[in-house]
Amino acid sequence: NLFKELGECKTLVQGAMDRSDPQGETPPALDPETFSIDWSKVPVECDPGAGEWYGSKNEDHVKRRRERKRDQVLSFALVLSHLVAAARRTGTKDLTGPGVPQVRVVDFGSGSGALTLPLAFLFPKVSFHALDMKPKAIELLLEKAEKGGLRNLTASGGMIENFDQEFDIGLALHA
């Protein structure tokens, strides 16, 4: 039964994460066969293991933190792929139709986007919303999202307990 579900998941998630051009020359960064992320295909603004994300001067500390952040993204991507596939399998969400993404994911306590940005890139047909109580974190996240070309991500500042928008899947790494 698990293998059947994984096979269904692979097929269904391909629709959720399809970032291919019309000729199919650009494969997705999240491989549905191995469920691994090819970080070279992720914009630097969306990669928690690249760029100027951390202020530490200790290179070993920075390296371990970058690896840990990438591992967190992969873990959440695997879970999210199953949840998106389940929404599709149950018929409650259609990811194949035109227009606005149907599955809505909220990242509660998103910070500056170390989790939200790569997930939004990996799942372009899913709508993401980042929520954090720190305005500067939201400002940074939106700046990175724009530079990374993400069109499926919105963000707002506020407290988790006051969030009143409708959503399908809630994520919280540090909330």
Side-chain angles (χ1 to χ4, degrees), residues 82-95:
H82 286 281
L83 294 173
V84 168
R88 183 90 189 278
R89 189 171 46 248
T90 60
T92 58
K93 299 294 173 182
D94 180 15
L95 299 173

Side-chain angles (χ1 to χ4, degrees), residues 86-124:
R88 183 90 189 278
R89 189 171 46 248
T90 60
T92 58
K93 299 294 173 182
D94 180 15
L95 299 173
T96 60
V100 178
Q102 298 298 307
V103 176
R104 294 167 308 241
V105 176
V106 177
D107 182 4
F108 294 102
S110 64
S112 60
L115 178 64
T116 318
L117 291 165
L119 289 177
F121 178 81
L122 294 169
F123 296 91

Side-chain angles (χ1 to χ4, degrees), residues 8-60:
E8 289 174 2
C9 181
K10 178 183 113 179
T11 302
L12 295 170
V13 170
Q14 283 176 328
M17 65 183 205
D18 182 20
R19 186 171 283 285
S20 303
D21 61 30
Q23 288 76 35
E25 296 174 8
T26 309
L30 179 60
D31 186 328
E33 294 288 332
T34 63
F35 289 109
S36 61
I37 298 172
D38 181 350
W39 289 101
S40 69
K41 295 182 176 142
V42 178
V44 69
E45 297 85 7
C46 301
D47 180 356
E52 298 296 322
W53 283 80
Y54 313 109
S56 177
K57 302 286 186 219
N58 181 328
E59 286 187 35
D60 189 49

Side-chain angles (χ1 to χ4, degrees), residues 64-82:
R64 285 194 319 270
R65 184 176 171 127
R66 287 178 177 183
E67 289 171 0
R68 187 174 70 246
K69 291 295 179 188
R70 281 181 169 180
D71 287 346
Q72 290 169 343
V73 170
L74 179 58
S75 296
F76 272 81
L78 293 175
V79 171
L80 187 58
S81 68
H82 286 281

